[in-house]
Amino acid sequence: MTGLSRSSADLDPRRRRILYRCWHRGIREMDLVFGQFAEEQIATLSDAELDELEAVMAEEDQDLNRWITGADPVPQHLQTPMFERIAAYRPDFDIVTKASLDEKFGRGE
């Protein structure tokens, strides 16, 4: 998955805004992590969890990337349950192979 697949029609304005911001971070790797995490979780997050998510999203993408990948230690202020959930989330990357393209486009042997 490489883009928005969830409709935001059933979300309140705050959740719509957060979902949009998660998919438009600036670094594609962070778009995929945050975007897919938000698609899966946004509808069920509490207001307090949304506050935490927005606080994490306020950090710079380059820093987030290093912290999420483990290249740098996570700063104390981000050692929260929400950051741990985001860092533990593994995006669903569609691997493109000849077989997957054949399957997608109905090309058989």
Side-chain angles (χ1 to χ4, degrees), residues 4 29 31 55 78 89 99-100:
L4 183 66
E29 291 85 349
D31 290 351
L78 286 180
Y89 186 78
S100 70

Side-chain angles (χ1 to χ4, degrees), residues 8-22:
S8 62
D10 63 330
L11 298 176
D12 62 73
R14 181 182 186 196
R15 290 173 198 278
R16 285 182 194 169
R17 184 182 74 249
I18 292 171
L19 181 60
Y20 179 86
R21 287 179 49 219
C22 283

